[in-house]
């Protein structure tokens, strides 16, 4: 790994999109959001994905530069990714992810491989493997990561863009797993788990030899299973506005761990990062 006197090098691979809302749009996708927080907490960030030769693609590059994230982006003949965000009558959000976007066709490039070989941590999820082209690229690039690097699987199950085989494959490649309570229920069925929540998490961690397993329960609480179990509970956070909190948690946690902080300290910093997102959403619903 990169020496601790230098900034930790963190990459994320997968979807890059613009979230299109009725009156605005903003850079979206879990990989970019994760990197935004990793950079905020002291890492150097690199986003590996693909964009279209269009205005949105150029806007992606501008936004990444603004957030000090290095773009490692291929240009494809497909349109830059978009997610249409609808606000429901109860204030919750519904996202519709458009098909056949540029990030469905991420090629294996020398720039991407060179980046991957020198990172301290790589972040990935299930969504970007929904098409076979990007699936092949992502699996190959994960295989290029250094043995001592963190491989952070943020399961992020979206719509119906996942299956048992994808989940099991990525689990086998990861050494960090982050999931929420709903996703744990899905893994319970896939892996035939039993017992309490802590029992099931311990079973997953042991079976896949994970260094850390992170379990979040909206904004209420989080648990990190590492060399020990750390637990943080929050009071008074509006649960309906936890959108994006998981990405903040993940980015802050990995940056803190790579800087040499203890699991407890990294957990508390990551929790506060997630709380800050929730509180900001409460102010701007």
């Amino acid at each position: 790994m990169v020496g601790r006197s230098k900034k930790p090098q963190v990459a994320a691979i997968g979807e890059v999109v613009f979230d299109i809302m009725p009156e605005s749009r903003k850079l979206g996708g879990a990989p970019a959001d994760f990197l935004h927080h990793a950079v905020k907490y002291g890492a150097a960030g690199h986003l590996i994905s693909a964009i279209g030769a269009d205005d949105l693609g150029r806007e992606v590059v501008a936004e990444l530069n603004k957030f000090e994230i290095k773009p490692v982006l291929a240009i494809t003949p497909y349109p830059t990714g978009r997610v249409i965000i609808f606000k429901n009558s109860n204030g919750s959000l519904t996202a519709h992810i458009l098909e056949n976007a540029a990030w469905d066709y991420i090629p294996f490039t020398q720039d991407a491989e060179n980046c991957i070989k020198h990172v301290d941590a790589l972040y990935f999820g299930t969504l970007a493997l929904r098409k076979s082209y990007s699936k092949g690229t992502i699996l190959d690039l994960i295989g290029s990561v250094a043995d001592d690097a963190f491989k952070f699987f943020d399961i992020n199950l979206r719509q119906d863009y996942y299956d048992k085989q994808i989940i099991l494959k990525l689990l086998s490649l990861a050494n960090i797993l982050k999931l929420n309570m709903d996703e744990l229920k899905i893994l319970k069925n896939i892996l035939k788990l039993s017992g309490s929540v802590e029992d099931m998490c311990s079973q997953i961690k042991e079976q896949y030899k994970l260094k850390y397993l992170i379990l979040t329960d909206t904004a209420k609480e989080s648990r990190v299973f590492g060399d020990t179990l750390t637990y943080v509970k929050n009071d008074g956070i509006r649960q309906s506005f936890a959108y994006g909190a998981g990405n903040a948690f993940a980015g802050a946690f990995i940056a803190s761990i790579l800087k040499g902080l203890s699991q407890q300290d990294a957990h508390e910093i990551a929790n506060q990062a997630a709380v800050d997102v929730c509180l900001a959403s409460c102010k701007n619903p």
Side-chain angles (χ1 to χ4, degrees), residues 66-84:
K66 182 172 75 175
F67 292 118
E68 299 183 355
I69 299 169
K70 182 178 179 181
V72 187
L73 304 173
I75 299 176
T76 75
Y78 299 91
T80 299
R82 292 180 296 153
V83 176
I84 309 302

Side-chain angles (χ1 to χ4, degrees), residues 46-57:
H46 311 261
L47 180 63
I48 301 170
S49 190
I51 56 174
D54 50 29
D55 288 342
L56 275 184

Side-chain angles (χ1 to χ4, degrees), residues 25-248:
R25 68 172 181 251
K26 67 180 183 67
L27 184 67
D33 201 20
F34 160 84
L35 287 173
H36 169 59
H37 293 282
V39 168
K40 182 178 178 180
Y41 285 88
H46 311 261
L47 180 63
I48 301 170
S49 190
I51 56 174
D54 50 29
D55 288 342
L56 275 184
R58 289 181 281 274
E59 197 168 340
V60 166
V61 174
E63 288 292 294
L64 292 176
N65 287 330
K66 182 172 75 175
F67 292 118
E68 299 183 355
I69 299 169
K70 182 178 179 181
V72 187
L73 304 173
I75 299 176
T76 75
Y78 299 91
T80 299
R82 292 180 296 153
V83 176
I84 309 302
I85 306 291
F86 303 94
K87 195 167 188 177
N88 302 314
S89 58
N90 64 358
S92 63
L93 301 175
T94 298
H96 177 65
I97 306 166
L98 299 188
E99 295 271 359
N100 290 315
W103 58 265
D104 285 316
Y105 302 93
I106 302 170
F108 190 103
T109 66
Q110 192 64 56
D111 285 346
E113 185 179 28
N114 290 342
C115 174
I116 287 288
K117 286 181 175 179
H118 296 96
V119 298
D120 298 303
L122 175 67
Y123 171 96
F124 51 89
T126 56
L127 179 56
L129 282 74
R130 67 179 182 175
K131 299 285 187 183
S132 60
Y133 193 100
S134 284
K135 178 180 178 181
T137 298
I138 291 169
L139 293 179
D140 285 345
L141 286 172
I142 294 173
S144 299
V145 178
D147 291 340
D148 63 345
F150 287 114
K151 303 168 189 70
F152 194 127
F153 178 25
D154 194 347
I155 195 166
N156 271 338
L157 302 179
R158 297 288 182 262
Q159 294 176 203
D160 59 351
Y161 296 130
Y162 64 91
D163 58 34
K164 176 180 177 180
Q165 287 70 32
I166 286 175
I167 291 173
L168 293 179
K169 180 62 178 177
L170 294 179
L171 269 174
S172 73
L173 297 171
N175 53 30
I176 301 179
L177 171 66
K178 178 181 159 293
L179 72 168
N180 60 35
M181 292 296 290
D182 290 336
E183 292 158 347
L184 179 60
K185 292 175 185 176
I186 293 173
L187 277 189
K188 177 182 179 179
N189 293 329
I190 290 175
L191 300 177
K192 310 299 183 186
L193 303 171
S194 60
S196 67
V197 166
E198 290 187 5
D199 289 339
M200 290 188 287
C201 289
S202 295
Q203 290 170 48
I204 298 168
K205 182 177 181 295
E206 182 178 350
Q207 181 175 348
Y208 289 95
K209 297 179 173 59
L210 301 172
K211 295 179 180 178
Y212 299 101
L213 185 149
I214 300 165
L215 176 68
T216 61
D217 186 356
T218 58
K220 292 189 298 184
E221 61 188 32
S222 56
R223 281 168 269 198
V224 177
F225 298 77
D227 292 334
T228 185
L229 169 61
T230 52
Y231 175 82
V232 177
K233 184 175 182 179
N234 300 308
D235 296 312
I237 304 296
R238 289 174 61 185
Q239 302 307 304
S240 60
F241 292 108
Y243 186 77
N247 299 330

